[in-house]
PDB file of all heavy atoms in Angstrom:
ATOM      1  N   ALA A  83       0.827  -1.238  -0.016  1.00  0.00           N
ATOM      2  CA  ALA A  83      -0.002   0.082  -0.041  1.00  0.00           C
ATOM      3  C   ALA A  83       0.907   1.297  -0.042  1.00  0.00           C
ATOM      4  O   ALA A  83       2.086   1.189   0.119  1.00  0.00           O
ATOM      5  CB  ALA A  83      -0.874  -0.030   1.233  1.00  0.00           C
ATOM      6  N   ASP A  84       0.278   2.424  -0.221  1.00  0.00           N
ATOM      7  CA  ASP A  84       0.915   3.718  -0.156  1.00  0.00           C
ATOM      8  C   ASP A  84       1.712   3.749   1.168  1.00  0.00           C
ATOM      9  O   ASP A  84       1.097   3.437   2.250  1.00  0.00           O
ATOM     10  CB  ASP A  84      -0.031   4.855  -0.264  1.00  0.00           C
ATOM     11  CG  ASP A  84      -0.445   5.091  -1.693  1.00  0.00           C
ATOM     12  OD1 ASP A  84       0.101   4.475  -2.632  1.00  0.00           O
ATOM     13  OD2 ASP A  84      -1.348   5.923  -1.989  1.00  0.00           O
ATOM     14  N   GLY A  85       3.030   4.129   1.070  1.00  0.00           N
ATOM     15  CA  GLY A  85       3.744   4.321   2.431  1.00  0.00           C
ATOM     16  C   GLY A  85       4.208   3.018   2.963  1.00  0.00           C
ATOM     17  O   GLY A  85       4.880   2.931   3.920  1.00  0.00           O
ATOM     18  N   GLY A  86       3.976   1.822   2.126  1.00  0.00           N
ATOM     19  CA  GLY A  86       4.411   0.597   2.574  1.00  0.00           C
ATOM     20  C   GLY A  86       5.940   0.517   2.883  1.00  0.00           C
ATOM     21  O   GLY A  86       6.697   1.141   2.135  1.00  0.00           O
ATOM     22  N   THR A  87       6.479  -0.279   3.845  1.00  0.00           N
ATOM     23  CA  THR A  87       7.887  -0.386   4.095  1.00  0.00           C
ATOM     24  C   THR A  87       8.315  -1.764   4.207  1.00  0.00           C
ATOM     25  O   THR A  87       7.712  -2.688   4.695  1.00  0.00           O
ATOM     26  CB  THR A  87       8.122   0.346   5.600  1.00  0.00           C
ATOM     27  OG1 THR A  87       7.820   1.696   5.485  1.00  0.00           O
ATOM     28  CG2 THR A  87       9.583   0.155   5.992  1.00  0.00           C
ATOM     29  N   ILE A  88       9.421  -2.031   3.656  1.00  0.00           N
ATOM     30  CA  ILE A  88      10.194  -3.298   3.772  1.00  0.00           C
ATOM     31  C   ILE A  88      11.328  -3.117   4.689  1.00  0.00           C
ATOM     32  O   ILE A  88      12.194  -2.134   4.472  1.00  0.00           O
ATOM     33  CB  ILE A  88      10.814  -3.785   2.368  1.00  0.00           C
ATOM     34  CG1 ILE A  88       9.601  -3.975   1.370  1.00  0.00           C
ATOM     35  CG2 ILE A  88      11.544  -5.024   2.554  1.00  0.00           C
ATOM     36  CD1 ILE A  88      10.107  -4.330  -0.014  1.00  0.00           C
ATOM     37  N   THR A  89      11.280  -3.804   5.839  1.00  0.00           N
ATOM     38  CA  THR A  89      12.294  -3.611   6.917  1.00  0.00           C
ATOM     39  C   THR A  89      13.241  -4.795   6.907  1.00  0.00           C
ATOM     40  O   THR A  89      12.833  -5.890   6.943  1.00  0.00           O
ATOM     41  CB  THR A  89      11.596  -3.458   8.324  1.00  0.00           C
ATOM     42  OG1 THR A  89      10.620  -2.351   8.208  1.00  0.00           O
ATOM     43  CG2 THR A  89      12.613  -3.161   9.371  1.00  0.00           C
ATOM     44  N   LEU A  90      14.549  -4.495   6.941  1.00  0.00           N
ATOM     45  CA  LEU A  90      15.534  -5.483   6.780  1.00  0.00           C
ATOM     46  C   LEU A  90      16.401  -5.544   7.994  1.00  0.00           C
ATOM     47  O   LEU A  90      16.779  -4.395   8.634  1.00  0.00           O
ATOM     48  CB  LEU A  90      16.382  -5.208   5.501  1.00  0.00           C
ATOM     49  CG  LEU A  90      15.611  -5.089   4.211  1.00  0.00           C
ATOM     50  CD1 LEU A  90      16.717  -4.637   3.045  1.00  0.00           C
ATOM     51  CD2 LEU A  90      15.075  -6.441   3.843  1.00  0.00           C
ATOM     52  N   GLY A  91      16.889  -6.724   8.388  1.00  0.00           N
ATOM     53  CA  GLY A  91      17.838  -6.869   9.412  1.00  0.00           C
ATOM     54  C   GLY A  91      17.130  -7.228  10.757  1.00  0.00           C
ATOM     55  O   GLY A  91      16.001  -6.835  10.984  1.00  0.00           O
ATOM     56  N   SER A  92      17.863  -7.983  11.583  1.00  0.00           N
ATOM     57  CA  SER A  92      17.385  -8.444  12.846  1.00  0.00           C
ATOM     58  C   SER A  92      17.168  -7.175  13.797  1.00  0.00           C
ATOM     59  O   SER A  92      16.214  -7.123  14.584  1.00  0.00           O
ATOM     60  CB  SER A  92      18.359  -9.385  13.624  1.00  0.00           C
ATOM     61  OG  SER A  92      18.360 -10.572  12.859  1.00  0.00           O
ATOM     62  N   GLY A  93      17.958  -6.126  13.486  1.00  0.00           N
ATOM     63  CA  GLY A  93      17.765  -4.960  14.275  1.00  0.00           C
ATOM     64  C   GLY A  93      16.894  -3.743  13.546  1.00  0.00           C
ATOM     65  O   GLY A  93      16.714  -2.751  14.033  1.00  0.00           O
ATOM     66  N   GLN A  94      16.203  -4.320  12.396  1.00  0.00           N
ATOM     67  CA  GLN A  94      15.450  -3.370  11.635  1.00  0.00           C
ATOM     68  C   GLN A  94      16.112  -2.069  11.235  1.00  0.00           C
ATOM     69  O   GLN A  94      15.544  -1.077  11.375  1.00  0.00           O
ATOM     70  CB  GLN A  94      14.063  -3.177  12.308  1.00  0.00           C
ATOM     71  CG  GLN A  94      13.189  -4.307  12.496  1.00  0.00           C
ATOM     72  CD  GLN A  94      13.524  -5.220  13.701  1.00  0.00           C
ATOM     73  OE1 GLN A  94      13.565  -4.738  14.765  1.00  0.00           O
ATOM     74  NE2 GLN A  94      13.672  -6.562  13.494  1.00  0.00           N
ATOM     75  N   ASP A  95      17.335  -2.246  10.891  1.00  0.00           N
ATOM     76  CA  ASP A  95      18.124  -0.984  10.693  1.00  0.00           C
ATOM     77  C   ASP A  95      18.071  -0.322   9.260  1.00  0.00           C
ATOM     78  O   ASP A  95      18.433   0.703   9.098  1.00  0.00           O
ATOM     79  CB  ASP A  95      19.670  -1.245  11.048  1.00  0.00           C
ATOM     80  CG  ASP A  95      20.167  -2.558  10.350  1.00  0.00           C
ATOM     81  OD1 ASP A  95      19.509  -3.651  10.298  1.00  0.00           O
ATOM     82  OD2 ASP A  95      21.312  -2.473   9.843  1.00  0.00           O
ATOM     83  N   ILE A  96      17.619  -1.226   8.375  1.00  0.00           N
ATOM     84  CA  ILE A  96      17.484  -0.769   6.952  1.00  0.00           C
ATOM     85  C   ILE A  96      16.047  -0.829   6.502  1.00  0.00           C
ATOM     86  O   ILE A  96      15.385  -1.811   6.656  1.00  0.00           O
ATOM     87  CB  ILE A  96      18.454  -1.517   5.906  1.00  0.00           C
ATOM     88  CG1 ILE A  96      19.820  -1.541   6.341  1.00  0.00           C
ATOM     89  CG2 ILE A  96      18.241  -0.983   4.535  1.00  0.00           C
ATOM     90  CD1 ILE A  96      20.496  -0.125   6.428  1.00  0.00           C
ATOM     91  N   THR A  97      15.521   0.314   5.995  1.00  0.00           N
ATOM     92  CA  THR A  97      14.202   0.301   5.463  1.00  0.00           C
ATOM     93  C   THR A  97      14.094   0.754   4.034  1.00  0.00           C
ATOM     94  O   THR A  97      14.884   1.670   3.563  1.00  0.00           O
ATOM     95  CB  THR A  97      13.311   1.289   6.415  1.00  0.00           C
ATOM     96  OG1 THR A  97      13.734   2.606   6.283  1.00  0.00           O
ATOM     97  CG2 THR A  97      13.269   0.784   7.774  1.00  0.00           C
ATOM     98  N   ILE A  98      13.214   0.097   3.402  1.00  0.00           N
ATOM     99  CA  ILE A  98      12.803   0.646   1.924  1.00  0.00           C
ATOM    100  C   ILE A  98      11.390   1.050   2.035  1.00  0.00           C
ATOM    101  O   ILE A  98      10.468   0.267   2.219  1.00  0.00           O
ATOM    102  CB  ILE A  98      13.117  -0.505   0.938  1.00  0.00           C
ATOM    103  CG1 ILE A  98      14.612  -0.994   0.951  1.00  0.00           C
ATOM    104  CG2 ILE A  98      12.754   0.023  -0.516  1.00  0.00           C
ATOM    105  CD1 ILE A  98      14.820  -2.196   0.016  1.00  0.00           C
ATOM    106  N   THR A  99      11.159   2.339   1.894  1.00  0.00           N
ATOM    107  CA  THR A  99       9.833   2.853   2.076  1.00  0.00           C
ATOM    108  C   THR A  99       9.247   3.548   0.836  1.00  0.00           C
ATOM    109  O   THR A  99       9.974   4.251   0.106  1.00  0.00           O
ATOM    110  CB  THR A  99       9.881   3.905   3.162  1.00  0.00           C
ATOM    111  OG1 THR A  99      10.367   3.345   4.371  1.00  0.00           O
ATOM    112  CG2 THR A  99       8.433   4.383   3.427  1.00  0.00           C
ATOM    113  N   HIS A 100       8.021   3.174   0.470  1.00  0.00           N
ATOM    114  CA  HIS A 100       7.373   3.703  -0.671  1.00  0.00           C
ATOM    115  C   HIS A 100       7.025   5.098  -0.431  1.00  0.00           C
ATOM    116  O   HIS A 100       6.378   5.527   0.650  1.00  0.00           O
ATOM    117  CB  HIS A 100       6.093   2.874  -0.996  1.00  0.00           C
ATOM    118  CG  HIS A 100       5.264   3.462  -2.084  1.00  0.00           C
ATOM    119  ND1 HIS A 100       3.987   3.935  -1.781  1.00  0.00           N
ATOM    120  CD2 HIS A 100       5.503   3.701  -3.359  1.00  0.00           C
ATOM    121  CE1 HIS A 100       3.517   4.480  -2.826  1.00  0.00           C
ATOM    122  NE2 HIS A 100       4.333   4.354  -3.845  1.00  0.00           N
ATOM    123  N   VAL A 101       7.219   6.032  -1.339  1.00  0.00           N
ATOM    124  CA  VAL A 101       6.826   7.374  -1.337  1.00  0.00           C
ATOM    125  C   VAL A 101       5.687   7.531  -2.364  1.00  0.00           C
ATOM    126  O   VAL A 101       5.956   7.457  -3.602  1.00  0.00           O
ATOM    127  CB  VAL A 101       7.989   8.453  -1.574  1.00  0.00           C
ATOM    128  CG1 VAL A 101       7.337   9.856  -1.460  1.00  0.00           C
ATOM    129  CG2 VAL A 101       9.052   8.248  -0.631  1.00  0.00           C
ATOM    130  N   ALA A 102       4.498   7.735  -1.931  1.00  0.00           N
ATOM    131  CA  ALA A 102       3.347   7.638  -2.750  1.00  0.00           C
ATOM    132  C   ALA A 102       3.524   8.673  -4.072  1.00  0.00           C
ATOM    133  O   ALA A 102       3.902   9.709  -3.920  1.00  0.00           O
ATOM    134  CB  ALA A 102       1.974   8.098  -2.086  1.00  0.00           C
ATOM    135  N   ASP A 103       3.321   8.033  -5.178  1.00  0.00           N
ATOM    136  CA  ASP A 103       3.274   8.780  -6.508  1.00  0.00           C
ATOM    137  C   ASP A 103       4.657   9.335  -6.813  1.00  0.00           C
ATOM    138  O   ASP A 103       4.830  10.101  -7.754  1.00  0.00           O
ATOM    139  CB  ASP A 103       2.246   9.826  -6.541  1.00  0.00           C
ATOM    140  CG  ASP A 103       0.910   9.365  -6.168  1.00  0.00           C
ATOM    141  OD1 ASP A 103       0.486   8.353  -6.637  1.00  0.00           O
ATOM    142  OD2 ASP A 103       0.141  10.110  -5.425  1.00  0.00           O
ATOM    143  N   THR A 104       5.670   8.933  -6.174  1.00  0.00           N
ATOM    144  CA  THR A 104       7.053   9.368  -6.374  1.00  0.00           C
ATOM    145  C   THR A 104       8.138   8.380  -6.625  1.00  0.00           C
ATOM    146  O   THR A 104       8.734   8.247  -7.718  1.00  0.00           O
ATOM    147  CB  THR A 104       7.463  10.387  -5.225  1.00  0.00           C
ATOM    148  OG1 THR A 104       6.501  11.481  -5.161  1.00  0.00           O
ATOM    149  CG2 THR A 104       8.896  10.979  -5.427  1.00  0.00           C
ATOM    150  N   GLY A 105       8.376   7.570  -5.569  1.00  0.00           N
ATOM    151  CA  GLY A 105       9.433   6.543  -5.693  1.00  0.00           C
ATOM    152  C   GLY A 105       9.609   5.749  -4.385  1.00  0.00           C
ATOM    153  O   GLY A 105       8.607   5.430  -3.618  1.00  0.00           O
ATOM    154  N   ILE A 106      10.812   5.492  -4.003  1.00  0.00           N
ATOM    155  CA  ILE A 106      11.171   4.887  -2.851  1.00  0.00           C
ATOM    156  C   ILE A 106      12.340   5.562  -1.980  1.00  0.00           C
ATOM    157  O   ILE A 106      13.091   6.277  -2.674  1.00  0.00           O
ATOM    158  CB  ILE A 106      11.567   3.394  -3.061  1.00  0.00           C
ATOM    159  CG1 ILE A 106      12.821   3.256  -3.859  1.00  0.00           C
ATOM    160  CG2 ILE A 106      10.421   2.531  -3.467  1.00  0.00           C
ATOM    161  CD1 ILE A 106      13.425   1.988  -3.969  1.00  0.00           C
ATOM    162  N   ASN A 107      12.355   5.444  -0.683  1.00  0.00           N
ATOM    163  CA  ASN A 107      13.445   5.885   0.124  1.00  0.00           C
ATOM    164  C   ASN A 107      14.160   4.706   0.678  1.00  0.00           C
ATOM    165  O   ASN A 107      13.492   3.811   1.279  1.00  0.00           O
ATOM    166  CB  ASN A 107      12.930   6.759   1.224  1.00  0.00           C
ATOM    167  CG  ASN A 107      12.400   8.092   0.753  1.00  0.00           C
ATOM    168  OD1 ASN A 107      12.782   8.552  -0.339  1.00  0.00           O
ATOM    169  ND2 ASN A 107      11.600   8.785   1.540  1.00  0.00           N
ATOM    170  N   ILE A 108      15.485   4.631   0.612  1.00  0.00           N
ATOM    171  CA  ILE A 108      16.265   3.655   1.200  1.00  0.00           C
ATOM    172  C   ILE A 108      17.014   4.283   2.368  1.00  0.00           C
ATOM    173  O   ILE A 108      17.761   5.300   2.189  1.00  0.00           O
ATOM    174  CB  ILE A 108      17.223   2.934   0.340  1.00  0.00           C
ATOM    175  CG1 ILE A 108      16.563   2.371  -0.922  1.00  0.00           C
ATOM    176  CG2 ILE A 108      18.148   1.959   0.890  1.00  0.00           C
ATOM    177  CD1 ILE A 108      17.479   1.841  -1.960  1.00  0.00           C
ATOM    178  N   LYS A 109      16.834   3.850   3.580  1.00  0.00           N
ATOM    179  CA  LYS A 109      17.321   4.597   4.749  1.00  0.00           C
ATOM    180  C   LYS A 109      18.013   3.635   5.697  1.00  0.00           C
ATOM    181  O   LYS A 109      17.502   2.524   5.886  1.00  0.00           O
ATOM    182  CB  LYS A 109      16.202   5.303   5.479  1.00  0.00           C
ATOM    183  CG  LYS A 109      16.594   6.025   6.691  1.00  0.00           C
ATOM    184  CD  LYS A 109      15.273   6.667   7.356  1.00  0.00           C
ATOM    185  CE  LYS A 109      15.677   7.675   8.477  1.00  0.00           C
ATOM    186  NZ  LYS A 109      14.468   8.323   9.147  1.00  0.00           N
ATOM    187  N   ASN A 110      19.096   4.031   6.238  1.00  0.00           N
ATOM    188  CA  ASN A 110      19.838   3.361   7.467  1.00  0.00           C
ATOM    189  C   ASN A 110      19.452   4.139   8.611  1.00  0.00           C
ATOM    190  O   ASN A 110      19.828   5.282   8.811  1.00  0.00           O
ATOM    191  CB  ASN A 110      21.416   3.518   7.094  1.00  0.00           C
ATOM    192  CG  ASN A 110      22.143   2.818   8.287  1.00  0.00           C
ATOM    193  OD1 ASN A 110      21.539   2.462   9.329  1.00  0.00           O
ATOM    194  ND2 ASN A 110      23.421   2.579   8.133  1.00  0.00           N
ATOM    195  N   ILE A 111      18.575   3.493   9.443  1.00  0.00           N
ATOM    196  CA  ILE A 111      17.995   4.240  10.567  1.00  0.00           C
ATOM    197  C   ILE A 111      18.863   3.968  11.856  1.00  0.00           C
ATOM    198  O   ILE A 111      18.616   4.442  12.916  1.00  0.00           O
ATOM    199  CB  ILE A 111      16.578   3.669  10.967  1.00  0.00           C
ATOM    200  CG1 ILE A 111      16.574   2.201  11.302  1.00  0.00           C
ATOM    201  CG2 ILE A 111      15.743   3.964   9.642  1.00  0.00           C
ATOM    202  CD1 ILE A 111      15.142   1.846  11.796  1.00  0.00           C
ATOM    203  N   SER A 112      20.129   3.212  11.707  1.00  0.00           N
ATOM    204  CA  SER A 112      20.843   3.006  12.792  1.00  0.00           C
ATOM    205  C   SER A 112      21.573   4.295  13.338  1.00  0.00           C
ATOM    206  O   SER A 112      22.014   5.196  12.576  1.00  0.00           O
ATOM    207  CB  SER A 112      21.984   2.018  12.505  1.00  0.00           C
ATOM    208  OG  SER A 112      23.002   1.774  13.525  1.00  0.00           O
ATOM    209  N   THR A 113      21.577   4.347  14.642  1.00  0.00           N
ATOM    210  CA  THR A 113      22.297   5.638  15.265  1.00  0.00           C
ATOM    211  C   THR A 113      23.516   5.339  15.902  1.00  0.00           C
ATOM    212  O   THR A 113      24.190   6.108  16.593  1.00  0.00           O
ATOM    213  CB  THR A 113      21.270   6.240  16.198  1.00  0.00           C
ATOM    214  OG1 THR A 113      20.964   5.343  17.282  1.00  0.00           O
ATOM    215  CG2 THR A 113      20.008   6.776  15.600  1.00  0.00           C
ATOM    216  N   SER A 114      24.059   4.098  15.742  1.00  0.00           N
ATOM    217  CA  SER A 114      25.207   3.532  16.275  1.00  0.00           C
ATOM    218  C   SER A 114      25.868   2.524  15.404  1.00  0.00           C
ATOM    219  O   SER A 114      25.217   2.028  14.567  1.00  0.00           O
ATOM    220  CB  SER A 114      25.077   3.139  17.691  1.00  0.00           C
ATOM    221  OG  SER A 114      24.233   1.859  17.661  1.00  0.00           O
ATOM    222  N   GLY A 115      27.124   2.289  15.535  1.00  0.00           N
ATOM    223  CA  GLY A 115      27.831   1.273  14.683  1.00  0.00           C
ATOM    224  C   GLY A 115      28.108   1.722  13.370  1.00  0.00           C
ATOM    225  O   GLY A 115      29.197   1.941  13.154  1.00  0.00           O
ATOM    226  N   ASN A 116      27.037   2.041  12.596  1.00  0.00           N
ATOM    227  CA  ASN A 116      27.298   2.433  11.175  1.00  0.00           C
ATOM    228  C   ASN A 116      27.015   3.949  11.125  1.00  0.00           C
ATOM    229  O   ASN A 116      26.775   4.475  10.081  1.00  0.00           O
ATOM    230  CB  ASN A 116      26.364   1.582  10.258  1.00  0.00           C
ATOM    231  CG  ASN A 116      26.898   1.774   8.862  1.00  0.00           C
ATOM    232  OD1 ASN A 116      28.091   1.795   8.569  1.00  0.00           O
ATOM    233  ND2 ASN A 116      26.041   1.687   7.883  1.00  0.00           N
ATOM    234  N   SER A 117      26.942   4.565  12.258  1.00  0.00           N
ATOM    235  CA  SER A 117      26.594   6.003  12.281  1.00  0.00           C
ATOM    236  C   SER A 117      27.524   6.888  11.391  1.00  0.00           C
ATOM    237  O   SER A 117      28.738   6.702  11.352  1.00  0.00           O
ATOM    238  CB  SER A 117      26.717   6.573  13.695  1.00  0.00           C
ATOM    239  OG  SER A 117      26.353   7.870  13.775  1.00  0.00           O
ATOM    240  N   GLY A 118      26.957   7.755  10.701  1.00  0.00           N
ATOM    241  CA  GLY A 118      27.732   8.611   9.804  1.00  0.00           C
ATOM    242  C   GLY A 118      27.986   8.125   8.430  1.00  0.00           C
ATOM    243  O   GLY A 118      28.387   8.665   7.462  1.00  0.00           O
ATOM    244  N   VAL A 119      27.524   6.868   8.070  1.00  0.00           N
ATOM    245  CA  VAL A 119      27.673   6.198   6.820  1.00  0.00           C
ATOM    246  C   VAL A 119      26.458   6.459   5.950  1.00  0.00           C
ATOM    247  O   VAL A 119      26.461   6.645   4.790  1.00  0.00           O
ATOM    248  CB  VAL A 119      27.955   4.704   6.934  1.00  0.00           C
ATOM    249  CG1 VAL A 119      28.091   4.077   5.551  1.00  0.00           C
ATOM    250  CG2 VAL A 119      29.310   4.499   7.647  1.00  0.00           C
ATOM    251  N   GLY A 120      25.351   6.310   6.569  1.00  0.00           N
ATOM    252  CA  GLY A 120      24.018   6.402   5.798  1.00  0.00           C
ATOM    253  C   GLY A 120      23.748   5.133   5.079  1.00  0.00           C
ATOM    254  O   GLY A 120      24.404   4.119   5.332  1.00  0.00           O
ATOM    255  N   ALA A 121      22.751   5.198   4.141  1.00  0.00           N
ATOM    256  CA  ALA A 121      22.373   3.870   3.510  1.00  0.00           C
ATOM    257  C   ALA A 121      23.446   3.682   2.363  1.00  0.00           C
ATOM    258  O   ALA A 121      23.881   4.606   1.682  1.00  0.00           O
ATOM    259  CB  ALA A 121      21.054   4.156   2.853  1.00  0.00           C
ATOM    260  N   VAL A 122      23.744   2.467   2.158  1.00  0.00           N
ATOM    261  CA  VAL A 122      24.766   2.063   1.111  1.00  0.00           C
ATOM    262  C   VAL A 122      24.073   1.152   0.133  1.00  0.00           C
ATOM    263  O   VAL A 122      23.490   0.092   0.441  1.00  0.00           O
ATOM    264  CB  VAL A 122      25.907   1.253   1.731  1.00  0.00           C
ATOM    265  CG1 VAL A 122      26.996   0.810   0.613  1.00  0.00           C
ATOM    266  CG2 VAL A 122      26.689   2.190   2.746  1.00  0.00           C
ATOM    267  N   LEU A 123      24.090   1.594  -1.149  1.00  0.00           N
ATOM    268  CA  LEU A 123      23.567   0.776  -2.184  1.00  0.00           C
ATOM    269  C   LEU A 123      24.722   0.212  -3.079  1.00  0.00           C
ATOM    270  O   LEU A 123      25.493   0.940  -3.698  1.00  0.00           O
ATOM    271  CB  LEU A 123      22.507   1.630  -3.097  1.00  0.00           C
ATOM    272  CG  LEU A 123      21.987   0.796  -4.292  1.00  0.00           C
ATOM    273  CD1 LEU A 123      21.143  -0.236  -3.962  1.00  0.00           C
ATOM    274  CD2 LEU A 123      21.253   1.757  -5.217  1.00  0.00           C
ATOM    275  N   THR A 124      24.955  -1.082  -3.073  1.00  0.00           N
ATOM    276  CA  THR A 124      26.068  -1.743  -3.769  1.00  0.00           C
ATOM    277  C   THR A 124      25.591  -2.614  -4.955  1.00  0.00           C
ATOM    278  O   THR A 124      24.771  -3.444  -4.726  1.00  0.00           O
ATOM    279  CB  THR A 124      26.873  -2.689  -2.859  1.00  0.00           C
ATOM    280  OG1 THR A 124      27.299  -1.919  -1.668  1.00  0.00           O
ATOM    281  CG2 THR A 124      28.076  -3.245  -3.610  1.00  0.00           C
ATOM    282  N   LEU A 125      26.052  -2.137  -6.087  1.00  0.00           N
ATOM    283  CA  LEU A 125      25.699  -2.936  -7.431  1.00  0.00           C
ATOM    284  C   LEU A 125      26.874  -3.906  -7.691  1.00  0.00           C
ATOM    285  O   LEU A 125      27.992  -3.584  -7.770  1.00  0.00           O
ATOM    286  CB  LEU A 125      25.546  -2.001  -8.570  1.00  0.00           C
ATOM    287  CG  LEU A 125      24.523  -0.825  -8.396  1.00  0.00           C
ATOM    288  CD1 LEU A 125      24.456  -0.021  -9.639  1.00  0.00           C
ATOM    289  CD2 LEU A 125      23.216  -1.466  -8.125  1.00  0.00           C
ATOM    290  N   GLN A 126      26.539  -5.231  -7.667  1.00  0.00           N
ATOM    291  CA  GLN A 126      27.480  -6.197  -7.791  1.00  0.00           C
ATOM    292  C   GLN A 126      27.236  -7.103  -8.994  1.00  0.00           C
ATOM    293  O   GLN A 126      26.197  -7.164  -9.523  1.00  0.00           O
ATOM    294  CB  GLN A 126      27.527  -7.176  -6.539  1.00  0.00           C
ATOM    295  CG  GLN A 126      27.856  -6.449  -5.238  1.00  0.00           C
ATOM    296  CD  GLN A 126      27.714  -7.439  -4.088  1.00  0.00           C
ATOM    297  OE1 GLN A 126      26.887  -8.352  -4.057  1.00  0.00           O
ATOM    298  NE2 GLN A 126      28.523  -7.143  -3.039  1.00  0.00           N
ATOM    299  N   THR A 127      28.405  -7.714  -9.498  1.00  0.00           N
ATOM    300  CA  THR A 127      28.281  -8.661 -10.553  1.00  0.00           C
ATOM    301  C   THR A 127      28.626 -10.060 -10.107  1.00  0.00           C
ATOM    302  O   THR A 127      29.587 -10.115  -9.253  1.00  0.00           O
ATOM    303  CB  THR A 127      29.183  -8.321 -11.792  1.00  0.00           C
ATOM    304  OG1 THR A 127      29.127  -9.352 -12.729  1.00  0.00           O
ATOM    305  CG2 THR A 127      30.607  -8.122 -11.380  1.00  0.00           C
ATOM    306  N   GLY A 128      28.100 -11.044 -10.558  1.00  0.00           N
ATOM    307  CA  GLY A 128      28.405 -12.470 -10.199  1.00  0.00           C
ATOM    308  C   GLY A 128      29.455 -13.117 -11.028  1.00  0.00           C
ATOM    309  O   GLY A 128      29.878 -14.177 -10.856  1.00  0.00           O
ATOM    310  N   ASP A 129      30.014 -12.259 -11.924  1.00  0.00           N
ATOM    311  CA  ASP A 129      31.053 -12.751 -12.853  1.00  0.00           C
ATOM    312  C   ASP A 129      32.290 -13.104 -12.144  1.00  0.00           C
ATOM    313  O   ASP A 129      32.752 -12.383 -11.195  1.00  0.00           O
ATOM    314  CB  ASP A 129      31.365 -11.641 -13.973  1.00  0.00           C
ATOM    315  CG  ASP A 129      32.203 -12.225 -15.108  1.00  0.00           C
ATOM    316  OD1 ASP A 129      32.801 -13.315 -15.018  1.00  0.00           O
ATOM    317  OD2 ASP A 129      32.178 -11.631 -16.167  1.00  0.00           O
ATOM    318  N   THR A 130      32.893 -14.294 -12.333  1.00  0.00           N
ATOM    319  CA  THR A 130      34.146 -14.782 -11.601  1.00  0.00           C
ATOM    320  C   THR A 130      35.446 -14.511 -12.384  1.00  0.00           C
ATOM    321  O   THR A 130      36.489 -14.799 -11.948  1.00  0.00           O
ATOM    322  CB  THR A 130      34.030 -16.247 -11.251  1.00  0.00           C
ATOM    323  OG1 THR A 130      33.855 -16.959 -12.442  1.00  0.00           O
ATOM    324  CG2 THR A 130      32.856 -16.475 -10.379  1.00  0.00           C
TER     325      THR A 130
END
């Protein structure tokens, strides 16, 4: 639904949230450990 959120991690530290009629927000909600880094999106290839 509008505003729906996918929450990732045992600590629920990463969220992917729908922004109605616009797109998505990817957020690192952790305030410790990874503080200062923000959300990280890594594009990877499986080529060996």
Side-chain angles (χ1 to χ4, degrees):
D84 283 352
T87 296
I88 299 174
T89 304
L90 304 173
S92 298
Q94 293 83 53
D95 50 311
I96 303 298
T97 61
I98 303 174
T99 305
H100 172 244
V101 181
D103 306 319
T104 301
I106 60 171
N107 289 338
I108 302 176
K109 183 178 182 179
N110 180 347
I111 65 174
S112 174
T113 57
S114 63
N116 202 33
S117 180
V119 175
V122 177
L123 177 64
T124 303
L125 304 181
Q126 299 179 327
T127 175
D129 197 337
T130 59

